[in-house]
Amino acid sequence: MENSFYAITWTDVLVSLVLMVMAFALIRWWKIDLGKTLLIGTIRTFVQLTLMGYVLTYFFRQDNWIFMVGLVLMMILIAAYEGYSRQRSHPIPNYFLILAGSMLITVFLVLGLILQFILHTQPWYYPYAMIPIAGMIIGNGLNSATLTVNRFIAEINHREKEIEMLLSLGAPPRAAIQDALRESVKAALLPNVNAMMTVGLVQLPGVMTGQILSGIDPLIAVRYQIMIMYMWVTTATMMNILVLALVYRRFFTPQWQLKRELLRVK
Amino acid sequence: MTDCHFYIFKLILAVVSAVETNYLYQLNQLSRDIEGVQILKGISLKILSGEFLALLGPSGSGKTSLLRLFNSLDSPTAGILDYRGKSIEDWDIRLLRQQVGMVFQEPVVVAGSVHENLTICQRWEKPIKPLSDLDLLATLDKVGLKSIDMHMDARSLSGGEKQRLALARVLLNQPQVLLLDEPTASLDHTLAHRIIRRVAELHREMNLTCIMVSHDPTLVRRFAERVVFLHEGQIAEDGPVTILDRPTSAQLQAYLAEER
């Protein structure tokens, strides 16, 4: 059975609905008020992923770097908008631009390095590598940045008096807020760093599982996974630091005053 | 206009401007809004160098909001706020805040030792001559904390000790103005008086201008020289501390009757 894989057919997918039927049955049994949502979720998963399959097939057929770059830019804008709308309860001025800009820099550096020097893709915009990796960088970067920014706002709220005390002594905003910045980045990176400690011991990461399922030699799958783990941590670090370096300034006036009105929940 | 007139005119201008710049702070029709609510309304006030001024008033009268403007922690929404004859916005903010120190209502210490707290300004400003332990001890002595262990964790100090540490930290900046936002509100009566007595001594020894927010008329009577009484964001009465004995405004009379 070497280097073979079991192609799953549409009939097989229909059979997999049995799994959902089991979930439904259990929820009905305990009268948990989730049936409708679960039904919508089941349908959306099916429709969204099927559509995505066709879309990806179409994208992968494109042999045009402008199209690929445009697609990545599109993904960045959508992700930045998603991050921006998650931050509605605590609006930060220019947050959309901050996210989009930080993602652009991170994607350019990390994706460029991977495509050029690790995978040596030919052509450089080889869609089978570029689209999924860009997706991982953007998605992971967004999640990590959201965590950091939330933590950062909690930190400023918590340290408001300390920050104002430091400002009143003549501290520049950067110095007054340094501990809050460090704590926030550290807190957001911890899950990523912890994942590096337990990867492969507790569970196999999704990408690796997928590759092995589709018949790829585990040793190759492992090499991909090692690269992805490093990529995740670096992406998260880069995103967090870029985003916070831009975000913290929004909390101060040019007169080195803390904008306390931004701390209160809208 | 003859030459003579011209020179007299110039002379008057020079005298006027000399007198004007003599004021440490000059506020004219100043107001401050927070999210659409007017906290301070039409405040006009002149403060001389070397005064010990108390801002007295009930809670919510705008005392702290006014005090924060002097160190530029906030900016006025409208009106004029001059420090040493120059608009506060035009000052180099770092220089202004070194000259105008602030002690907050709740003592704030940062994580670390007493020593780290005292030398905190060196984190962002490399001094020409780093503060020696002798300098630190001399300052700790000024606030009555001479016997404290400098390597002790600052967070384990008592409330009164923390507040004196905060005062020492400000004094190490060698300020010319000291802003005090009810610094003894969380302390007992005896300790509060001891700390403010220290401040009053520093005020005399170093010719330090003190502006203190308080709602304690006894404390104010004892240490302040001038009282500005605020009521609903406006100055209701302003004068030497003796006005507390013969209040003219109905608001101050009512306030004193209530506090008694």
Side-chain angles (χ1 to χ4, degrees), chain B residues 116 133 231 251:
Chain B
E116 282 170 75
D133 281 5
H231 188 264
Q251 292 100 327

Side-chain angles (χ1 to χ4, degrees), chain B residues 2-230:
Chain B
T2 64
D3 267 7
C4 182
H5 280 118
F6 178 73
Y7 284 117
I8 290 170
F9 178 68
K10 286 284 264 193
L11 191 68
I12 291 170
L13 259 187
V15 168
V16 166
S17 66
V19 169
E20 289 286 296
T21 50
N22 223 4
Y23 288 113
L24 191 65
Y25 282 105
Q26 209 168 351
L27 286 66
N28 197 6
Q29 285 303 312
L30 177 148
S31 66
R32 171 156 169 82
D33 302 355
I34 299 175
E35 281 160 28
V37 184
Q38 215 174 24
I39 307 294
L40 297 170
K41 308 162 197 168
I43 301 271
S44 295
L45 184 66
K46 285 168 181 167
I47 300 172
L48 282 166
S49 181
E51 279 194 284
F52 194 133
L53 183 147
L55 295 173
L56 191 69
S59 61
S61 57
K63 306 181 297 275
T64 300
S65 299
L66 180 57
L67 191 77
R68 290 169 59 90
L69 300 178
F70 294 131
N71 177 276
S72 201
L73 273 181
D74 292 323
S75 291
T77 313
I80 291 166
L81 171 54
D82 286 351
Y83 173 68
R84 294 188 187 281
K86 192 161 99 179
S87 171
I88 206 156
E89 305 266 319
D90 296 335
W91 275 84
D92 172 48
I93 190 73
R94 196 191 297 239
L95 189 67
L96 173 81
R97 286 180 178 162
Q98 273 166 1
Q99 289 190 9
V100 184
M102 181 146 176
V103 179
F104 293 83
Q105 185 165 12
E106 282 169 52
V108 190
V109 295
V110 294
S113 64
V114 170
H115 188 275
E116 282 170 75
N117 267 276
L118 287 172
T119 55
I120 196 149
C121 292
Q122 297 184 357
R123 280 197 196 169
W124 56 85
E125 193 151 86
K126 284 273 166 289
I128 307 157
K129 185 168 89 51
L131 291 164
S132 70
D133 281 5
L134 269 170
D135 299 328
L136 302 184
L137 274 176
T139 309
L140 284 174
D141 189 26
K142 275 185 199 160
V143 299
L145 276 184
K146 198 184 181 181
S147 52
I148 206 166
D149 174 12
M150 276 209 269
H151 301 288
M152 195 177 165
D153 185 350
R155 283 170 300 182
S156 64
L157 298 174
S158 73
E161 287 170 326
K162 276 184 192 162
Q163 200 54 293
R164 279 181 283 180
L165 175 61
L167 182 59
R169 191 171 49 200
V170 168
L171 290 178
L172 281 165
N173 255 348
Q174 293 175 310
Q176 291 157 21
V177 184
L178 193 58
L179 308 174
L180 302 138
D181 184 10
E182 293 195 62
T184 53
S186 54
L187 307 176
D188 70 65
H189 184 79
T190 330
L191 192 54
H193 276 246
R194 242 174 48 209
I195 291 181
I196 302 301
R197 188 178 306 123
R198 283 279 176 189
V199 171
E201 282 163 15
L202 294 170
H203 154 72
R204 280 192 298 275
E205 286 162 19
M206 302 159 65
N207 194 33
L208 197 63
T209 309
C210 293
I211 306 175
M212 177 175 77
V213 162
S214 183
H215 62 235
D216 179 357
T218 14
L219 204 69
V220 170
R221 244 191 211 101
R222 185 109 180 248
F223 298 107
E225 297 156 356
R226 178 179 166 195
V227 178
V228 169
F229 178 72
L230 286 170

Side-chain angles (χ1 to χ4, degrees), chain A residues 55 66 80 98 181-182 195 254:
Chain A
V55 170
I66 295 172
I98 290 173
L181 290 173
R182 287 193 185 132

Side-chain angles (χ1 to χ4, degrees), chain A residues 63-81:
Chain A
D63 190 21
N64 180 346
W65 70 270
I66 295 172
F67 182 84
M68 286 302 151
V69 170
L71 190 66
V72 171
L73 288 179
M74 202 55 190
M75 286 157 79
I76 289 175
L77 290 180
I78 292 170
Y81 184 76

Side-chain angles (χ1 to χ4, degrees), chain A residues 8-25:
Chain A
I8 188 166
T9 64
W10 286 114
T11 332
D12 298 334
V13 174
L14 284 178
V15 175
S16 76
L17 277 176
V18 172
L19 294 169
M20 289 316 296
V21 171
M22 284 158 72
F24 267 114

